[in-house]
Amino acid sequence: MTLTERRSERPQVRGVRRLSEPDPASRGRGGQRFLLVGLALAGVYSLFPVWWLMVAATKDRTALYQSNGLWFSGWHLWDNLHQVFTYQDGIFLRWTANSFLYAGVGSLGGTLIALATGYGLARFDFPGRNAIFACVVGSFLIPIALLTLPLYLLFSAIGMVDTPWAMLIPCLINPFSVYLAKVYTEATIPYELLEAARIDGAGELRIFFSIVLRMMTTGGATVFLLAFVNTWNAFFLPLTVLRGKENWTLNLGLYNWSGTRLESGIDLTGLVLTGALLSIVPMAVMMVAMRRYWRTGVTLGALK
């Protein structure tokens, strides 16, 4: 075979090899399409109840039962809002204020306690530390429903039933938040920084409030948001420890409205749906407000 014949055959062999080899870029695009389709389906599944609630809140009583549940039929949102805010002398606003009190103050205090406890378990060596951490992990595995009756008996014995303290005190202690704070402290607070602060003469309280809390902003925001959502959506505990309507939460008040139809024959379904739509607005606002803390934490980790 001559040199010319060999050169003429090389492009043909290379062309056959290129056709037989799989294209990595095409495989990557196929995986991305599959991932996007899965995320889109998950997003639709998650937003479907919200869409139904938004549509239902714009209907009057007749359209609520006779029209398509997934599309609008008239626009009565402002009338429904007016009824929600004026029914029973505006008790809905009182329930909203109670929910903000329990979820806001309780979650803020619980976050501070959880960060301090997690920091102590992660960066201080003392006898029984492992046993205490084991108790913390074991305690958040117990369902909150099992603790409701003991809490009711305890608060009844000391006269705190049907008071805001019956909701605030349980919110201050959250073992799962302590666990998150400990894990985040171990990942972000180096021993060398604490030793340098002690050498410079800083006390432990100053180190915690001036250094540790500032470095744990992202973890603290996560702990606060989880505690806020958990307290805002709480139902069994307020149902057990709160009796008077003036101390109820939003969930408990809306539950009472939904049962009015069975007790007195008054249909308050439209008010319940509109109130439920209003009840998710604070959580959405809280989620958007916390984004900057998470973004700051991610940027700080990238710089490190």
Side-chain angles (χ1 to χ4, degrees), residues 107 111 174 176-177 180 219-233 286-287 290 294:
S107 300
T111 299
N174 192 332
F176 185 67
S177 298
L180 290 180
T222 304
V223 171
F224 175 79
L225 182 61
L226 293 177
F228 184 90
V229 173
N230 186 37
T231 307
W232 186 271
N233 293 328
M286 190 67 63
M287 183 70 69
M290 290 295 175
W294 291 323

Side-chain angles (χ1 to χ4, degrees), residues 1-264:
M1 182 179 292
T2 62
L3 182 60
T4 306
E5 293 176 349
R6 291 179 180 177
R7 291 179 178 177
S8 62
E9 290 181 356
R10 285 180 181 176
Q12 297 177 0
V13 176
R14 291 179 180 177
V16 173
R17 289 180 180 176
R18 289 177 181 175
L19 292 176
S20 62
E21 293 178 356
D23 187 5
S26 62
R27 288 187 299 179
R29 288 193 294 268
Q32 290 178 357
R33 293 193 188 98
F34 180 78
L35 180 61
L36 290 176
V37 171
L39 291 176
L41 293 177
V44 171
Y45 177 79
S46 301
L47 295 177
F48 180 80
V50 181
W51 171 255
W52 177 85
L53 185 61
M54 293 174 58
V55 172
T58 62
K59 298 180 180 180
D60 57 2
R61 185 180 305 175
T62 303
L64 187 62
Y65 293 105
Q66 297 181 1
S67 63
N68 184 4
L70 299 179
W71 198 248
F72 301 94
S73 178
W75 187 263
H76 303 277
L77 178 61
W78 309 122
D79 296 335
N80 294 337
L81 291 175
H82 181 266
Q83 293 178 11
V84 167
F85 291 136
T86 57
Y87 186 73
Q88 293 183 344
D89 298 327
I91 191 66
F92 182 84
L93 296 176
R94 179 63 182 268
W95 294 340
T96 304
N98 292 337
S99 295
F100 272 112
L101 174 65
Y102 304 147
V105 177
S107 300
L108 186 62
T111 299
L112 183 61
I113 294 175
L115 293 180
T117 307
Y119 167 68
L121 291 174
R123 289 295 177 258
F124 288 91
D125 189 10
F126 54 90
R129 183 181 67 169
N130 294 331
I132 294 176
F133 181 67
C135 293
V136 170
V137 174
S139 61
F140 73 72
L141 298 178
I142 302 176
I144 187 62
L146 296 180
L147 302 176
T148 302
L149 183 57
L151 286 174
Y152 172 78
L153 296 177
L154 176 62
F155 292 142
S156 178
I158 60 180
M160 285 189 179
V161 173
D162 199 26
T163 63
W165 292 109
M167 283 293 299
L168 290 174
I169 293 178
C171 294
L172 297 177
I173 309 300
N174 192 332
F176 185 67
S177 298
V178 174
Y179 172 77
L180 290 180
K182 179 182 182 298
V183 173
Y184 192 81
T185 301
E186 294 175 343
T188 57
I189 309 298
Y191 283 103
E192 296 78 9
L193 180 63
L194 301 178
E195 291 298 330
R198 294 188 182 104
I199 292 174
D200 291 339
E204 296 299 334
L205 290 178
R206 183 177 180 183
I207 292 175
F208 176 72
F209 286 101
S210 300
I211 299 177
V212 175
L213 284 185
R214 294 185 180 182
M215 297 184 65
M216 296 180 65
T217 304
T218 303
T222 304
V223 171
F224 175 79
L225 182 61
L226 293 177
F228 184 90
V229 173
N230 186 37
T231 307
W232 186 271
N233 293 328
F235 176 76
F236 198 47
L237 180 62
L239 179 64
T240 306
V241 300
L242 300 178
R243 297 175 181 175
K245 290 185 178 181
E246 64 277 1
N247 292 326
W248 283 356
T249 61
L250 268 179
N251 290 338
L252 194 56
L254 294 177
Y255 171 75
N256 177 261
W257 280 359
S258 65
T260 303
R261 182 178 182 181
L262 300 177
E263 297 177 359
S264 59

